Amino acid sequence: MERGSKLVAVNDFSGDDSVVLKVSNLQKTYGRKTRALDGIDLEVKRGTVFGLLGPNGAGKTTLVRIVSTQLLPSGGSATIAGYDVVRQPKAVRRRIAIVPQEGRPLLLQTPYEHIVTYLVSRGLDYKEARARAESTLDSLKLYQYKNTICGNLSGGLRQRVLIAMAISSEAEFLVLDEPTIGLDPVARVDVWNLVRRYVAGGKTILLTTHYMDEAEELSDSLAIINRGRVVAKGTPSEIRRMLNATHTVIIKTSQSDLSEFERFGRALRAGTGVRVLTDQQRASELATLCMRRNMEVSIRPSSLEDVFISEVGEVEEGEVEPHTAN
Ligand code: ATP
């Protein structure tokens, strides 16, 4: 299908004004074989943060690129505020802003120049763009770097410049593709605060992340995708309830036979050990047994990360980021 078709840009939004992004049976196949999206259905409500989680290659960026009109789907549909991303890309682009994965500001431009140029390219007049750049830099604590070329800013500040550009648009739908990757814990929390403030103003954010704590902390609802399919979706607490377990026992062991652990709950291989999803009573029985055998063991409440591992299967080291100190 071609962009810029002759179809009139009609908002075919059929009713539910609270849904900003609606994705129905979305599919994308690269070449003949790589099925990156295999029938995704999602709805994102206005004024919320929707988290998209998944291991490397799950299809997150493909989904983000389709909903932000950078890539055509192979099937299905996606609408933003009722506008179809394939048939009405201009109407969609006016309503969205995106911070792409591993985006980089131009090293010889200042944050101020970036924001002004971006806003003018979105159709604001120069005077308004300058005023909005000033206020955005001020509210994001970037004002002191206003005239510093980005080449002289730290990686965390450069990332905040990209987020500042997107936020300055005041777009009703913001897409952040792994916005905190590589940031230190303080810079991450700064970004989290920006996200919260943006949605508090009634705007909507789609956020992809590898960080479980980030997804849990920020998302009003989320989806875990794997191999192009949704394997879990709901609020963080609804997703945690999928486990039917309250406690997780983490045991460091290279033991390959999991049957002994399975007596206590659902045993999953994860990283350098085993996780057993169970209830409090059996968790303490298992931990006692492990300690008697001098095995390294800990117990904690079951988390989103456990759902991720249970739904996605064994993950490679570094494929999903566990909780980080912050
Ligand atoms: P990551 O977390 O590593 O960024 P992701 O969830 O964003 O991964 P995608 O980048 O959407 O995943 O990739 C989904 C699948 O599609 C992968 O198998 C990937 O190799 C493949 N893929 C992505 N882009 C292309 C492309 N341009 N051409 C061919 N295959 C692609």
Side-chain angles (χ1 to χ4, degrees):
M1 198 179 309
E2 274 185 15
R3 289 243 178 271
S5 69
K6 291 195 181 96
L7 282 166
V8 184
V10 175
N11 181 345
D12 54 4
F13 203 48
S14 49
D16 192 355
D17 190 30
S18 68
V19 176
V20 180
L21 172 66
K22 186 168 169 58
V23 171
S24 307
N25 191 26
L26 197 65
Q27 294 156 41
K28 178 68 188 178
T29 308
Y30 292 108
R32 287 194 178 174
K33 284 193 183 147
T34 310
R35 193 168 282 200
L37 298 180
D38 192 9
I40 299 270
D41 294 301
L42 294 174
E43 281 191 0
V44 178
K45 299 246 186 227
R46 192 174 298 281
T48 66
V49 179
F50 189 92
L52 200 56
L53 279 168
N56 291 130
K60 303 180 295 296
T61 298
T62 299
L63 178 63
V64 158
R65 293 188 65 211
I66 292 172
V67 302
S68 54
T69 76
Q70 301 171 66
L71 186 68
L72 291 169
S74 312
S77 69
T79 58
I80 288 187
Y83 293 97
D84 188 283
V85 298
V86 174
R87 290 183 292 123
Q88 299 160 303
K90 285 187 185 158
V92 170
R93 284 180 205 142
R94 275 197 293 277
R95 288 165 175 81
I96 67 169
I98 177 166
V99 176
Q101 195 180 118
E102 294 173 15
R104 298 275 177 275
L106 299 170
L107 298 184
L108 292 177
Q109 273 200 357
T110 66
Y112 179 76
E113 288 164 347
H114 269 99
I115 298 177
V116 171
T117 312
Y118 178 65
L119 291 177
V120 168
S121 74
R122 287 183 71 101
L124 256 72
D125 73 48
Y126 188 49
K127 193 172 162 207
E128 201 179 336
R130 281 181 5 205
R132 210 189 278 179
E134 296 264 345
S135 65
T136 306
L137 289 169
D138 188 34
S139 69
L140 302 192
K141 294 192 245 157
L142 286 170
Y143 202 83
Q144 59 182 305
Y145 308 106
K146 176 183 164 190
N147 295 318
T148 307
I149 57 164
C150 289
N152 290 345
L153 297 178
S154 69
L157 284 170
R158 285 182 205 170
Q159 182 67 1
R160 272 167 58 194
V161 170
L162 293 181
I163 294 171
M165 288 167 69
I167 283 179
S168 71
S169 70
E170 298 178 5
E172 69 178 277
F173 190 74
L174 203 61
V175 181
L176 305 177
D177 196 359
E178 298 190 21
T180 61
I181 206 152
L183 297 189
D184 71 39
V186 175
R188 280 181 80 210
V189 172
D190 279 345
V191 171
W192 292 3
N193 290 334
L194 299 180
V195 166
R196 287 197 193 96
R197 267 170 42 199
Y198 203 71
V199 292
K203 308 278 203 298
T204 309
I205 291 184
L206 174 67
L207 167 97
T208 81
T209 181
H210 277 204
Y211 298 111
M212 293 292 146
D213 57 340
E214 183 161 290
E216 195 140 17
E217 177 75 29
L218 287 180
S219 309
D220 296 290
S221 51
L222 55 92
I224 300 176
I225 63 172
N226 190 29
R227 295 169 209 242
R229 286 170 176 263
V230 174
V231 293
K233 68 181 166 186
T235 64
S237 55
E238 279 167 356
I239 291 184
R240 272 197 306 275
R241 278 203 293 277
M242 284 173 54
L243 283 174
N244 277 328
T246 56
H247 288 68
T248 298
V249 184
I250 301 173
I251 307 154
K252 198 158 191 182
T253 174
S254 54
Q255 194 171 314
S256 57
D257 179 9
L258 300 185
S259 56
E260 184 180 23
F261 303 121
E262 274 159 0
R263 288 194 291 121
F264 294 89
R266 184 156 167 229
L268 309 166
R269 185 154 290 293
T272 54
V274 172
R275 290 180 187 210
V276 182
L277 311 177
T278 184
D279 56 37
Q280 190 169 9
Q281 170 71 26
R282 288 188 299 165
S284 75
E285 286 167 17
L286 175 57
T288 306
L289 179 79
C290 291
M291 280 189 287
R292 276 202 206 110
R293 293 193 193 164
N294 287 326
M295 293 164 110
E296 205 177 299
V297 61
S298 60
I299 304 179
R300 59 158 177 70
S302 299
S303 69
L304 209 54
E305 188 183 304
D306 300 316
V307 184
F308 188 98
I309 290 170
S310 93
E311 294 303 318
V312 169
E314 188 178 347
V315 289
E316 298 294 329
E317 210 67 58
E319 206 168 25
V320 54
E321 302 289 339
H323 300 263
T324 53
N326 53 59

